[in-house]
Amino acid sequence: MVLKSFVLTIAIMVLVTSMSYASDSIPLQDFCVAINDPNNSHVFVNGRFCKNPEHVTADDFFTSGLNMPGNALNQFGVTVVAANAYTLPGINTLGISLARIDYPPYGLNAPHTNPRESEVLVILEGMLYVGFVTSTSAPNVKNRLFSKILHPGDVFVFPMGLIHFQLNAGKTKAIAFAAFSSQLPGLNIIPNALFGSHPSINDDILAKAFQVDKKVVDYIQSEFERDNF
């Protein structure tokens, strides 16, 4: 009986290990709903269709525009120019990407997560207050904040999946470059996700979670609807 249990345990461990190696550790979609007819599928797990190698050119590994500010990222005026699998096709499946981030005076890159990557941020101009918050892995363990004031030439790392932020703490614009360990890092801005989702999260849930009156939640949700964020 003991031998059978031991063999069964070993078999389960082998199965779990083989499954873990068979899956990709950095998926590029939040989810992939399985369907029976693959011809109707428009989502492909962890990547995009690959171009015929015979048709690949140097331009597939090239992009430009990171010398100029990009499009608005959020309601605080922060803008981003990204070099990822959508703007730089040759980077697809390589597990790396890059972005230029511009911050107006007192501009905020609101608390957010990049669910599929770790991030290295280097500041080129201005001054940024940056930080991230740890997760909790045990009862009575508090979330810890790690923060720093950055100046030109300073570098800060944000671990994968953790909530982090950047605030322009100066009176002039700030510019930073971020390198990611994924070709499609993903972006989940916390206030937008909670108060600007479609359809909206029930205000009873948010009121209880934040320990505030429902009227406060309703007001915040209305602000996100008005700004279309």
Side-chain angles (χ1 to χ4, degrees), residues 6-219:
F6 177 75
V7 172
L8 179 59
T9 302
I10 294 297
I12 293 174
M13 291 177 63
V14 170
L15 177 61
V16 171
T17 302
S18 63
M19 290 174 63
S20 66
Y21 279 105
S23 63
D24 196 299
S25 60
I26 308 177
L28 298 187
Q29 287 81 27
D30 290 331
F31 46 77
C32 182
V33 178
I35 60 172
N36 294 326
D37 183 2
N39 294 325
N40 291 328
S41 175
H42 299 287
V43 178
F44 303 92
V45 175
N46 205 35
R48 304 168 64 190
F49 278 127
C50 294
K51 191 175 184 179
N52 187 328
E54 295 182 358
H55 300 159
V56 171
T57 69
D59 285 339
D60 292 314
F61 303 94
F62 169 82
T63 190
S64 62
L66 271 70
N67 61 318
M68 298 292 293
N71 298 319
L73 173 66
N74 57 38
Q75 59 267 54
F76 300 104
V78 175
T79 64
V80 172
V81 181
N84 57 33
Y86 286 117
T87 61
L88 182 58
I91 211 170
N92 189 44
T93 73
L94 297 185
I96 54 173
S97 58
L98 186 70
R100 169 185 170 142
I101 311 173
D102 287 76
Y103 312 78
Y106 308 111
L108 172 68
N109 194 357
H112 64 280
T113 65
N114 300 111
R116 298 182 283 271
E117 54 75 30
S118 296
E119 175 181 350
V120 179
L121 186 81
V122 56
I123 181 169
L124 296 172
E125 182 179 333
M127 179 173 62
L128 291 177
Y129 171 60
V130 307
F132 67 86
V133 180
T134 63
S135 60
T136 57
S137 57
N140 302 319
V141 175
K142 294 184 178 181
N143 301 90
R144 295 183 62 193
L145 170 65
F146 292 87
S147 62
K148 194 81 174 176
I149 296 289
L150 303 184
H151 299 92
D154 291 343
V155 178
F156 198 81
V157 175
F158 303 106
M160 180 183 292
L162 297 186
I163 295 174
H164 57 285
F165 60 86
Q166 301 112 34
L167 171 69
N168 184 346
K171 297 180 180 180
T172 61
K173 69 176 182 179
I175 303 173
F177 274 78
F180 306 101
S181 61
S182 170
Q183 64 268 21
L184 283 175
L187 176 65
N188 196 12
I189 302 174
I190 304 303
N192 295 37
L194 292 176
F195 296 100
S197 66
H198 299 281
S200 299
I201 297 175
N202 186 286
D203 55 4
D204 287 318
I205 295 173
L206 295 175
K208 189 166 186 177
F210 287 94
Q211 296 293 290
V212 297
D213 190 272
K214 283 174 57 176
K215 293 181 179 179
V216 175
V217 172
D218 293 339
Y219 171 76

